[in-house]
């Protein structure tokens, strides 16, 4: 399946509160997505990482949220959702200095 179709399935799972299923769908979307040699592929991959980060945040796996948010920001440094999710996770991990930086 095309990565965008898999992501859409993940979005539906997320809306239903099935965060584990959504996480798996976003992982599958990443696996199906083209590499980062094209700018639009970079953006899509950043979104999939950020979506995975949000699932981890909902599942209270804050270290994984930081990791996925960082991966999204590596692809798109000004990605506000990824920046905010990482800050939220760091706050939950009681790493306030990192959350503010």
């Amino acid at each position: 399946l095309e990565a965008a179709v898999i992501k859409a399935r993940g979005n539906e799972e997320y809306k239903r509160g099935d965060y584990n299923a959504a996480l798996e769908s976003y992982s599958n979307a990443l696996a199906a997505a083209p590499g980062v040699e094209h700018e639009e592929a970079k953006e899509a991959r950043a979104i999939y990482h950020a979506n995975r980060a949000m699932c981890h945040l909902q599942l209270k796996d804050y270290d994984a949220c930081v990791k996925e948010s960082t991966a999204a920001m590596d692809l798109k440094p000004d990605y506000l959702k990824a920046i905010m999710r990482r800050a939220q996770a760091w706050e939950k991990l009681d790493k306030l200095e990192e959350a503010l930086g």
Side-chain angles (χ1 to χ4, degrees):
L1 284 173
E2 187 179 321
V5 173
I6 301 168
K7 175 193 173 262
R9 184 174 62 214
N11 291 348
E12 290 304 314
E13 293 159 343
Y14 184 88
K15 286 177 195 165
R16 288 197 311 267
D18 193 347
Y19 305 121
N20 284 307
L23 184 60
E24 186 175 337
S25 290
Y26 297 137
S27 298
N28 292 337
L30 259 174
V36 295
E37 57 277 352
H38 302 297
E39 207 53 43
E40 57 273 4
K42 253 185 176 173
E43 180 144 350
R45 294 181 73 82
I47 290 168
Y48 304 151
H49 281 293
N51 288 357
R52 285 173 47 85
M54 192 61 191
C55 291
H56 286 304
L57 195 59
Q58 294 293 342
L59 294 166
K60 298 180 177 18
D61 187 349
Y62 304 121
D63 287 314
C65 179
V66 168
K67 181 181 169 200
E68 289 294 335
S69 298
T70 301
M73 292 163 59
D74 286 345
L75 294 166
K76 189 177 175 191
D78 61 344
Y79 193 0
L80 189 57
K81 284 183 181 179
I83 294 166
M84 294 301 296
R85 288 172 189 163
R86 188 169 74 174
Q88 286 177 286
W90 269 333
E91 185 178 358
K92 296 288 187 185
L93 291 166
D94 208 25
K95 294 184 178 180
L96 300 181
E97 194 172 310
E98 289 88 339
L100 297 173

